[in-house]
Amino acid sequence: MGKKYEDSLKLIEKGNLYDTNEALDLVVKTSKAKFDETVELHVKLGVDGRHADQQVRGAIVLPNGTGKNARVLVFAKSAQAEAAKAAGADYVGEMDLVEKIQKENWFDFDVVIATPDMMRFVGRLGKVLGPKGLMPSPKSGTVTPDAAKAVTEAKAGKVEYRLDKSNIIHCPIGKASFGTEKLEQNFNALIGAIIKAKPAAAKGQYIKSCTVASTMGPGVRVNPAKLV
């Protein structure tokens, strides 16, 4: 571990569970890299994602965005394609883009949106887009008949949250330069959405643990009892 990381670690009380505001304040203070670090939320849930009725997944537009200009690829044709371009999509196409990804291993994009009529072509990319978390899905609003709206939301800072194999959600909530207040607004919006998405089949404590951290900084634990 580097000296900056060791110095940052001294500011955090080991074993302490912080209020959200205090935790994010510490994350901002311990963000010491030369670049503007991304701040991420990591939430372990008391569910078993192997069961379909305990899946937690969705998307939300963060109040203050993510601080990143998402590169958006849209699979659409005719009027929908034109509307997506007008809304600010970076790439718009049909089979030409499917083939570009397949043949050139091209991934210069952060979000993939598709109209329903294009999914029979986009489905061929499941094996390459799926592992990267880029496969369009109706649940996250990226398979939609309104491509322009989806592009606008992606550009405004829409984030998708979903469980990994350890039943943990990892999601960006902004940049360290946002400061504590804006990060807290984004944190509260995302946590609120995750709590609202609690499956009926989930039993016991829903939020097991919650940690916030910057790209290069140490994790700061948030008191989960105060989030529900």
Side-chain angles (χ1 to χ4, degrees):
M1 292 181 188
K3 190 176 183 304
K4 285 181 182 177
Y5 188 93
E6 292 286 0
D7 290 343
S8 294
L9 217 48
K10 290 173 188 173
L11 297 173
I12 300 162
E13 272 185 63
K14 197 173 181 182
N16 194 29
L17 296 175
Y18 291 90
D19 287 350
T20 305
N21 185 276
E22 291 177 296
L24 290 167
D25 195 41
L26 280 168
V27 168
V28 171
K29 284 176 181 170
T30 55
S31 174
K32 296 178 178 178
K34 290 179 181 176
F35 61 93
D36 192 4
E37 296 181 51
T38 296
V39 177
E40 283 207 343
L41 168 66
H42 308 276
V43 190
K44 184 168 180 63
L45 299 180
V47 297
D48 187 345
R50 291 174 299 177
H51 301 289
D53 62 351
Q54 292 189 48
Q55 270 295 325
V56 179
R57 182 177 183 180
I60 182 174
V61 178
L62 297 175
N64 301 299
T66 61
K68 179 182 179 181
N69 180 26
R71 298 166 299 173
V72 182
L73 182 156
V74 179
F75 289 102
K77 55 187 176 184
S78 308
Q80 284 286 348
E82 292 306 316
K85 285 176 189 171
D90 298 88
Y91 310 101
V92 182
E94 299 176 45
M95 271 307 293
D96 55 326
L97 292 181
V98 172
E99 288 172 3
K100 186 175 174 69
I101 292 167
Q102 285 176 325
K103 294 175 182 176
E104 298 175 28
N105 206 28
W106 173 69
F107 294 104
D108 293 343
F109 45 86
D110 307 297
V111 180
V112 181
I113 293 162
T115 52
D117 59 326
M118 292 303 296
M119 283 308 292
R120 60 196 175 102
F121 304 114
V122 181
R124 301 174 192 180
L125 299 172
K127 285 184 180 176
V128 289
L129 294 183
K132 294 177 181 290
L134 291 169
M135 192 64 186
S137 154
K139 282 188 179 177
S140 63
T142 46
V143 174
T144 171
D146 192 344
K149 183 186 176 189
V151 170
T152 303
E153 288 179 344
K155 292 287 185 180
K158 186 176 185 177
V159 293
E160 185 181 350
Y161 57 89
R162 60 193 298 183
L163 293 172
D164 68 6
K165 288 178 181 176
S166 306
N167 300 311
I168 299 172
I169 288 173
H170 309 273
C171 215
I173 55 168
K175 297 285 186 180
S177 61
F178 280 19
T180 306
E181 189 180 338
K182 284 187 174 180
L183 285 170
E184 188 174 9
Q185 288 168 359
N186 281 359
F187 175 99
N188 289 337
L190 181 55
I191 277 289
I194 292 169
I195 291 170
K196 199 174 176 183
K198 180 181 179 180
K203 300 288 183 264
Q205 187 180 349
Y206 181 51
I207 297 180
K208 293 278 191 181
S209 68
C210 178
T211 304
V212 283
S214 61
T215 309
M216 305 296 287
V220 184
R221 295 169 70 200
V222 178
N223 188 347
K226 295 191 176 182
L227 299 176
V228 183

